[in-house]
Each structure stands twice: as C-alpha cells, then as structure tokens.
C-alpha cells in the first residue's frame, strides 16, 4: 500500500513537473484530456515498471501473447489503411474493421483516442489482461501487420530494399485524396499534376523490380554489387525478368508489394491505362498480386469506390453507400464486405 501511495505521488510530481511545458488554460485542457485518456495508461506502465514487468509489451512468446484482438480504425476511405487490410488478409489474420467520420471522429479525437489526432490507428488488445496498445501512422501499422503476417523481410538488406520501395509507395499517396476527397475543378487540377509525375515513379518502380530480380537470381553472390546499369524499361530486360522475378519481396510479396499495389490500383480507377502505357512489367506484376488467393478473395468482396470527383463513397454488395456526409458517423465492415451500423462486438 505504501508503495502504491509513493507511486501515485511520484506520478503526480511527473504530471506537474516543468518537463510538461503548459500553463494556464492550456494546462487545464491538457490535464482534463490526460485524466480521461492518457493517465490510466501512464499509471499502468509506471506500476508495471516498478514491478519489473510490462503487460503492454508485444512479445513473440505465444504463451504470453496469443491472438491479440486487432481493431483497425479509419475513415470510410480506400486510402491509408488499405495496405494493412491487404497484408492482414494475406496472413489470414482476423481483425475488426471500424469506420468513423463526422461527429464521432471529432468526439474521439477530442477525447485523446488517437495518439497523433489522426487515423488510421490500430488498437491491439492483449487477451491475457485486456491491456490495449494503440498504434498510429499508416506505415507503422502496415509494418506491424506484415510482421504478424510473415511478409516483413528478416534479412537486413532485403528489409532495407523493401522498405525503400514501400516508402516510394508512400510518396505516391496523393492518389488517395484524389479518389476519396477531391471533387470538381480541384479534382481536375490535382489529377493533371499527379499523372504528370506518375510515369517517373513507375520507371523507378520497374527499376527496383529489376534489382529484386537480380538478387533473386544471384543469391550466392555479393548482392550489394548488383549491376544497376543494365536495368532499363526496355522490352528485352522486361522479358528476361518475367520468367524469374515475382515480387519486390522476391519469390513472395513483402509489405512493399502490397503498398505499391494499393496506390497503383487507386490510380487505375482514374486512368485505367496509366500503368500499362509505361511499364508492361508492372502490369504483369499487378496481375501476379491479384492472383494471390487472399488478394483475389478480398478484392472481390471489398466495397467499391464510387462517385470519384463528384461524391466519393464506398458501396457494399447490398447497395449501401457510405460517405463522409452519411449521418451515422460509425460503421463496421464485416468479413463479407458489407457494412453494419449496429456494433457487432458490443456483447463481447
């Protein structure tokens, strides 16, 4: 009991210390938010560290961390959470898919639910004691999912190459608001700019696909000395690639493959010929991605993105359209690709 009292006093000292540089009205707002959202987590970590343990640490020990409950929370968009969905389906990992927008999103953000005040986030609930970790940033969430799914390279060099391609995919992210948000003249303006830059990105991607192919063909040689001078977008290099190279990750896809595929598939919604006109090899690679059983199943059942440039939204197989103008504010996307507006996990 004395230890708990001292712990609370130390925590109170931490909360009031000069390291948290807030004052006046801002300080009051910060304290209110802290007590409603941040303080329970801080106190839990503080007491666990004093006892020499931390139940919030995600571990590979199956006995300690078996089948955490994953909840992916995002806007009703086909955008920054889609790569993670691809990866989770590829790994056969179950998760809850929660869409929030409007007043619901605003209230949750005010409550401090999101570490950086934006979504997507992944809530990871451990089965052992119910503790929840909230993971933010789309790239971080995708990498976490890739590690769970077994498609995150363990070799440092392969990992670095895949991460580089993944990050190039992130640089192509303007396609996300283009198909999910922008309308009218704004959409037309951004579209012209985006597709003027896309061919350069496609040529870079094809070059990296060649590099991955060289590494795959020469596993016993010093892979850091791959001859990049022979990499080109010519038909001869592409034809030699096709029979030996499958993915950016090598013989199987890595997290980079899923991220690049997402951005290019969104681009195809606006210009169906934008990839084929530049790179036949990337077109073939996209075909290989779509032929993966998990991808094929997910792509067939996921809601369609409709109303681009006019009133973008997600249309499920029942004909239910969800947009940011929908008054509901929250929905769950089920395994069959349909939305429900009654919390299916409430009883749990």
């Amino acid at each position: 009991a004395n230890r708990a009292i001292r712990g609370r006093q130390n925590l109170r000292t931490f909360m009031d210390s000069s390291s948290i540089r807030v004052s006046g009205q801002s300080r009051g707002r910060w304290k209110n938010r802290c007590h409603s959202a941040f303080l329970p987590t801080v106190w839990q970590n503080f007491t666990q560290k004093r006892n020499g343990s931390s139940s919030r640490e995600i571990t590979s020990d199956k006995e300690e961390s078996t089948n955490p409950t994953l909840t992916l929370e995002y806007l009703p968009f086909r955008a920054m959470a889609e790569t993670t969905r691809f990866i989770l389906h590829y790994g056969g990992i179950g998760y809850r898919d929660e869409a929030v927008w409007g007043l619901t999103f605003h209230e949750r953000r005010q409550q401090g639910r999101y570490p950086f005040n934006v979504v997507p986030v992944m809530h990871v609930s451990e089965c052992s004691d119910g503790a929840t970790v909230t993971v933010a940033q789309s790239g971080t969430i995708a990498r976490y999912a890739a590690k769970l799914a077994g498609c995150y390279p363990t070799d440092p060099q392969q990992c670095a190459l895949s991460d580089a391609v993944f990050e190039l995919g992130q640089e192509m992210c303007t396609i996300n608001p283009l198909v999910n948000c922008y309308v009218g003249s704004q959409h037309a303006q951004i579209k012209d700019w985006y597709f003027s830059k896309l061919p350069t990105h496609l040529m870079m991607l094809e070059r990296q696909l060649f590099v991955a192919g060289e590494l795959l063909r020469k596993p016993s040689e010093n892979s850091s000395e791959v001859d990049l001078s022979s990499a080109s977008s010519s038909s001869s290099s592409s034809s030699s690639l096709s029979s030996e190279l499958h993915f950016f990750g090598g013989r199987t896809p890595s997290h980079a493959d899923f991220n690049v595929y997402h951005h290019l598939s969104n681009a195809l919604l606006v210009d169906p010929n934008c990839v084929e006109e530049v790179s036949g090899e990337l077109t073939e690679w996209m075909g290989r991605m779509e032929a993966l059983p998990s991808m094929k199943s997910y792509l067939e059942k996921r809601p369609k993105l409709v109303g681009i440039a006019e009133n973008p939204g997600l249309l499920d197989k029942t004909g239910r359209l969800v947009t940011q103008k929908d008054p509901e504010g929250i929905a769950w996307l089920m395994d069959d690709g349909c939305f429900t507006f009654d919390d299916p996990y409430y009883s749990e």
Side-chain angles (χ1 to χ4, degrees), residues 101-159:
W101 64 95
L103 183 59
T104 300
F105 170 74
H106 175 74
E107 290 176 346
R108 291 185 176 187
R109 183 167 58 182
Q110 290 297 106
Q111 293 165 2
R113 183 180 176 91
Y114 312 125
F116 304 133
N117 285 337
V118 294
V119 288
V121 295
M122 175 76 83
H123 305 291
V124 184
S125 299
E126 297 295 317
C127 296
S128 57
D129 60 3
T132 298
V133 178
T134 297
V135 182
Q137 300 287 26
S138 62
T140 301
I141 297 169
R143 288 181 176 91
Y144 170 70
K147 292 173 184 178
L148 295 179
C151 61
Y152 192 80
T154 56
D155 176 76
Q157 180 177 266
Q158 293 287 353
C159 184

Side-chain angles (χ1 to χ4, degrees), residues 160-181:
L161 290 173
S162 283
D163 266 339
V165 174
F166 182 97
E167 290 302 322
L168 183 59
Q170 296 291 76
E171 293 179 14
M172 300 163 63
C173 68
T174 303
I175 192 62
N176 291 318
L178 183 64
V179 298
N180 289 279
C181 303

